[in-house]
Amino acid sequence: MIRIEPRETQSRTFTLGVPILSAVIALALAAIPLLAAGANPIVAYAEMFRGVFGSVFAFSEVLTRATPLIFTGLAAALAFRAKLWNIGAEGQLYLGAMAAVAIGSGVLDVPGILLLPMIVILGAAAGAAGMVAPTYLKTRFGADEVVTTLLLNFIILIFVQMMLEGPLQDPMSLGWPQSAPVLDQGMLPPLMERLRVHSGLILALILAGLAQFMLARSVWGFRLRAVGENAAAARHAGINVKRSLFGVAILSGGLAGLAGVSEVAGLKGYLTADLSPGFGYTGIVVAMLAGLSPAGVVIAALFIASVFVGADSMSRAMGVSSFLADLVVSMSLLCVLVGGFVARYRIVRSSTARAAS
């Protein structure tokens, strides 16, 4: 008979190596469907590499794709640290984007110099608002936030579609459900000429560094980690658990809202119902690959973005489906979950246990 029990000590080297090993294993397993499709995996991965690092434009596309993933990855990582399972980053992203176009399209008479800061602040506030109700239901009635945040995604998306066919619709769109464009003064400045990468990336990196510092070096970070490790013990130690959960909920929602702001005010300039290809959900994978570390989120987001951009390039060059990227991302997450389990637990045989006793 065997049983599973927690390890007394966890190897830090193994814990840090799990995400890297997971990515390698995922790429190795993805070679199987490539072979089934009649493609040479070595050539296919060479095309992926070329699609990511083959030119300045290619790498700039990776940075552009990684920007919203850093925001949503941070949103998931910080909330998960407190055992607040925010699955609603997708909806919060759309709330932030909707606030950005509502302010940035000239609805309010705002001086040009204040327009961009207001878009950023109100976009974050709109995303944060999307986490208030689920957190209240969790702390007041014990409602499962996985269910409430997930279902809220669909409600928000339907609301956005309604607004795009109503008050926010561009009169010049000929009936197409899209918002009026953000004014030039409200757009995030580009980082390079004739390339799509924009200063939202700088904001994401600054927030990642700040989150890493606060989580590791501040009283707020200690309280957050304490609540996540054992809420009952944290409450006994005098930590206000509800306040801590509401604080991280607002921060998490705000970061997801900034992902929407970066896509609207940094990239597209207007809002449509298909703005996000799933950045909110992919942010969960980014957070798990990063081990819920804000610094690791940046690396994980770059990896995921590289996979998607490289898979697009490989698809064009070899005629292989770009859905391979989704397969690699999914297998990376599964490998991380399995590796994390192995790092925290061990399998013990009864005979071994009796001999040890």
Side-chain angles (χ1 to χ4, degrees):
M1 184 176 179
I2 62 175
R3 70 176 188 275
I4 297 173
E5 63 180 30
R7 294 182 184 273
E8 294 181 2
T9 58
Q10 297 180 22
S11 170
R12 184 170 179 82
T13 302
F14 184 78
T15 301
L16 293 175
V18 163
I20 299 173
L21 185 61
S22 300
V24 173
I25 293 175
L27 289 171
L29 292 175
I32 298 174
L34 280 173
L35 288 170
N40 185 325
I42 297 177
V43 176
Y45 287 142
E47 288 294 339
M48 286 185 68
F49 185 85
R50 191 176 297 111
V52 173
F53 300 106
S55 66
V56 174
F57 172 78
F59 189 66
S60 73
E61 285 298 296
V62 173
L63 297 178
T64 302
R65 194 71 175 262
T67 299
L69 293 179
I70 295 174
F71 284 119
T72 57
L74 289 173
L78 292 178
F80 288 7
R81 278 277 188 163
K83 295 294 192 294
L84 181 66
W85 309 111
N86 178 15
I87 314 297
E90 186 78 0
Q92 294 146 23
L93 179 153
Y94 273 98
L95 286 176
M98 189 167 60
V101 297
I103 302 300
S105 59
V107 174
L108 297 181
D109 186 15
V110 180
I113 194 172
L114 298 178
L115 185 58
L116 181 56
M118 282 195 65
I119 288 175
V120 172
I121 293 170
L122 293 179
M131 269 302 289
V132 172
T135 309
Y136 174 78
L137 292 174
K138 174 185 175 68
T139 57
R140 181 68 177 83
F141 302 106
D144 189 345
E145 72 275 18
V146 172
V147 176
T148 54
T149 54
L150 179 61
L151 294 181
L152 198 56
N153 285 336
F154 302 101
I155 296 172
I156 291 171
L157 187 55
I158 292 172
F159 178 68
V160 168
Q161 291 171 337
M162 182 188 73
M163 295 296 288
L164 290 177
E165 295 177 3
L168 292 181
Q169 187 175 30
D170 185 0
M172 304 299 291
S173 66
L174 301 177
W176 187 259
Q178 82 176 39
S179 73
V182 176
L183 300 176
D184 290 342
Q185 304 95 307
M187 294 294 291
L188 290 164
L191 292 181
M192 303 179 189
E193 290 292 333
R194 297 190 297 276
L195 296 176
R196 301 200 306 161
V197 62
H198 53 82
S199 53
L201 174 64
I202 304 300
L203 177 61
L205 294 176
I206 291 173
L207 291 177
L210 184 61
Q212 181 68 37
F213 175 81
M214 293 292 290
L215 196 61
R217 302 285 183 176
S218 71
V219 175
W220 174 84
F222 172 78
R223 289 173 178 167
L224 181 66
R225 288 183 280 113
V227 170
E229 290 293 331
N230 191 320
R235 188 179 295 108
H236 183 74
I239 296 175
N240 190 322
V241 174
K242 288 186 178 181
R243 182 183 299 173
S244 296
L245 287 176
F246 267 104
V248 75
I250 290 171
L251 183 58
S252 176
L255 287 165
L258 287 176
V261 171
S262 74
E263 286 298 285
V264 166
L267 193 60
K268 296 191 175 180
Y270 57 88
L271 173 62
T272 58
D274 60 350
L275 174 73
S276 169
F279 289 133
Y281 299 113
T282 308
I284 297 173
V285 182
V286 169
M288 297 303 294
L289 283 175
L292 306 186
S293 162
V297 161
V298 176
I299 299 172
L302 289 171
F303 167 72
I304 297 295
S306 299
V307 169
F308 280 116
V309 173
D312 288 339
S313 175
M314 178 191 66
S315 177
R316 291 190 298 269
M318 303 185 65
V320 178
S321 173
S322 60
F323 285 108
L324 178 73
D326 298 301
L327 185 63
V328 172
V329 171
S330 301
M331 288 191 295
S332 297
L333 176 59
L334 289 175
C335 292
V336 163
L337 294 177
V338 172
F341 178 83
V342 173
R344 292 191 300 270
Y345 299 94
R346 62 176 180 172
I347 298 175
V348 178
R349 295 182 179 274
S350 298
S351 57
T352 305
R354 284 196 298 270
S357 62

